[in-house]
Amino acid sequence: MRYLISGGGTGGHIFPAVSIANALRELDSEAEILFVGALGRMEMERVPQAGYKIIGLPVRGFDRKRPWKNISVLIDLARSMRMAKKIIRDFRPDVGVGVGGYASGAAMKVAAKMGVPILLQEQNGFAGVTNKLLKDDAQKICVAYENMERFFPKDKIILTGNPVRQNLLEGKKQAGNGKKNLLIIGGSLGARTINEAIANGLDKLAMAGINVVWQTGKAYYEQYRNIDTSKYRNVEVKEFLSDMPDRYATADLVISRAGASSISELCLLGKPCVLVPSPNVAEDHQTHNAMALVNKNAAVLVRDAEAAEKLVDTALALIQDDAKLKELRKNILTLAQPDSARRIAEEVIRLAKK
C-alpha cells in the first residue's frame, strides 16, 4: 500500500503526521509512505529526521493584513496544485492523509479530485481552516474532541484523540525532598506571557516550599538563565527538557499552553494543570482546547491577559490543595485517548483496502 501524508507548518501538525506514519509502518511493514509539505516550513527538516521522504510545495498562507500581497500567494497555490497533481500521478497513493496546514489543503484537494480516498486528522477543539475546507472531500475525519459535528459531517467523524509520544508513559518519578513539584512548560520556543509571570513571581515561588522546574524555551533562556540561585534555590531554569517523561512523572502540577499535543499528553498522563492559552493562534483554537477540559472540571484556566496578575497565585493555591489535585487528576484521565496513532492508522488501512 502507498500512503501520502500531507501537512505541517507547526510541531502540532508534524508530530501527529509522523506518529501516524510510524503506526502505519508497524501495521504494514511494506508500506510506502511519502510526505508533502510546504517549502521553508518546519516539516521539511523534521520529517527527514524521522526517516521519511518529503516533497515541498511553494504554497503559503494568505496575508489578511496586506491583501495586495496575495497575488503571488495565488500564483504559488496554482503552482502547488500542479506539482501535487504530478506527485500523485507518480506516487499513485492508495490513501491520502491530511493533518492540517497549507500543504495539506493543496495536496488533499488534488488527491480527492483524482479519486484518492482521503482521511483528515484534526488536532484541535476548534477545527482548522484547511480541514474545514476539505470536509466534503474526506471519507473519514479523526478528531481529538467531542462535539465536532459543529464543523464536520457527523457520519464521517471518529473520536481517536491525538497521537502523543508513547515514551512519555515510561517516565520515572525522580527522588525529591518531600516537597511538591511544579513543572512550567511553554513549548520549544517558549511562551512570553508565562515566562514574564513566573519571573515576576519568583519571590512567591521561593517562599512556597515547592520545587520548580521552569522550561523557558529557546527564545527566552538567555533572558532568565542567570537568576540568583542562592536566593531561588528551589527553581531550576532550563531551555529545553530532554528528560520529559521523568519530568512529567515527577510533577504534581503543570503550567502549560493549550496546544493540542500538550493537552493530549496531559490527559494521557493524568496531570493536573493550569492552562494559559496562547492568543496568537488561528481562531483562538487554544482557548477552545482548554475549555473542553475546563468544562469537565479537568483543568484550570488562566487567560493570557490575566497571567501576570493571576498565574503564580493560582498555581500556588492549587498545588497545596490535595483534594483539588486529586479531582483534576481523576477527571483529566477520563479524557485520555490511548493508542491514537494506531487507531488512526487502522482507519487509513481500512480505507486503502476498500
Side-chain angles (χ1 to χ4, degrees):
M1 295 290 182
R2 293 187 175 89
Y3 306 103
L4 185 77
I5 302 177
S6 184
T10 66
H13 291 317
I14 298 163
F15 181 77
V18 170
S19 295
I20 294 166
N22 291 342
L24 285 168
R25 278 263 166 89
E26 283 180 24
L27 294 170
D28 178 2
S29 59
E30 296 182 3
E32 289 187 43
I33 298 170
L34 176 66
F35 279 76
V36 174
L39 288 169
R41 304 291 290 190
M42 196 189 295
E43 60 266 28
M44 300 307 296
E45 184 180 331
R46 295 287 175 85
V47 169
Q49 285 173 356
Y52 296 99
K53 182 182 176 184
I54 186 168
I55 298 174
L57 304 178
V59 65
R60 293 178 286 140
F62 284 95
D63 193 327
R64 295 174 189 177
K65 293 180 181 175
R66 297 171 295 178
W68 63 91
K69 295 254 182 186
N70 288 327
I71 294 171
S72 63
V73 174
L74 287 168
I75 291 168
D76 283 342
L77 177 60
R79 282 179 59 212
S80 296
M81 302 284 268
R82 286 196 301 273
M83 288 174 67
K85 192 172 182 179
K86 183 177 187 309
I87 291 166
I88 291 160
R89 195 184 290 128
D90 292 346
F91 185 62
R92 291 177 294 119
D94 293 289
V95 179
V97 180
V99 298
Y102 309 135
S104 178
M108 293 299 108
K109 193 73 181 175
V110 172
K113 278 186 179 178
M114 295 175 72
V116 178
I118 300 301
L119 178 142
L120 303 179
Q121 198 256 333
E122 175 55 58
Q123 298 94 30
N124 294 295
F126 193 92
V129 173
T130 300
N131 281 346
K132 283 191 285 189
L133 290 172
L134 291 168
K135 69 179 188 292
D136 294 330
D137 298 302
Q139 274 69 41
K140 296 290 179 185
I141 304 171
C142 295
V143 301
Y145 293 90
E146 296 173 346
N147 304 317
M148 294 300 282
E149 307 84 55
R150 298 176 291 160
F151 308 107
F152 305 125
K154 189 175 182 178
D155 60 329
K156 296 183 178 183
I157 293 173
I158 306 166
L159 183 64
T160 57
N162 283 321
V164 301
R165 296 171 283 184
Q166 290 303 309
N167 70 328
L168 291 178
L169 293 164
E170 298 162 10
K172 293 181 174 59
K173 191 164 184 173
Q174 295 171 324
N177 46 15
K179 296 179 180 179
K180 293 281 183 67
N181 295 281
L182 175 63
L183 174 63
I184 302 151
I185 48 177
S188 56
L189 291 177
R192 181 180 59 81
T193 313
I194 293 177
N195 284 330
E196 287 177 356
I198 298 304
N200 293 332
L202 280 172
D203 288 337
K204 289 179 181 177
L205 291 167
M207 292 168 59
I210 62 171
N211 301 315
V212 179
V213 176
W214 177 16
Q215 187 244 323
T216 63
K218 187 176 182 180
Y220 300 94
Y221 182 63
E222 290 302 319
Q223 186 177 347
Y224 298 115
R225 64 182 294 190
N226 294 318
I227 65 166
D228 186 346
T229 50
S230 61
K231 186 177 180 182
Y232 305 119
R233 268 177 241 163
N234 63 325
V235 180
E236 184 182 356
V237 182
K238 304 285 282 185
E239 175 184 342
F240 175 76
L241 296 172
S242 56
D243 53 348
M244 202 67 202
D246 293 342
R247 300 292 188 167
Y248 265 140
T250 305
D252 296 290
L253 179 67
V254 180
I255 293 174
S256 175
R257 284 300 200 198
S261 293
S262 297
I263 284 187
S264 295
E265 291 176 356
L266 292 165
C267 289
L268 188 69
L269 297 168
K271 285 293 155 184
C273 55
V274 178
L275 299 173
V276 188
S278 171
N280 308 312
V281 294
E283 297 172 298
D284 197 24
H285 67 247
Q286 285 203 7
T287 297
H288 293 275
N289 293 349
M291 289 308 298
L293 273 65
V294 172
N295 290 337
K296 298 203 171 183
N297 196 21
V300 172
L301 175 75
V302 172
R303 296 193 182 277
D304 192 80
E306 300 172 334
E309 182 185 341
K310 294 184 177 179
L311 180 58
V312 170
D313 289 341
T314 300
L316 288 177
L318 183 54
I319 203 168
Q320 305 294 2
D321 187 341
D322 288 338
K324 184 65 175 175
L325 289 176
K326 185 177 179 182
E327 184 182 21
L328 290 173
R329 190 178 298 114
K330 177 185 164 190
N331 291 340
I332 199 170
L333 270 171
T334 66
L335 303 176
Q337 295 281 348
D339 296 320
S340 293
R342 185 182 181 90
R343 287 157 66 196
I344 295 166
E346 285 171 350
E347 292 297 332
V348 173
I349 290 170
R350 247 179 237 124
L351 269 185
K353 286 181 176 175
K354 278 186 183 178

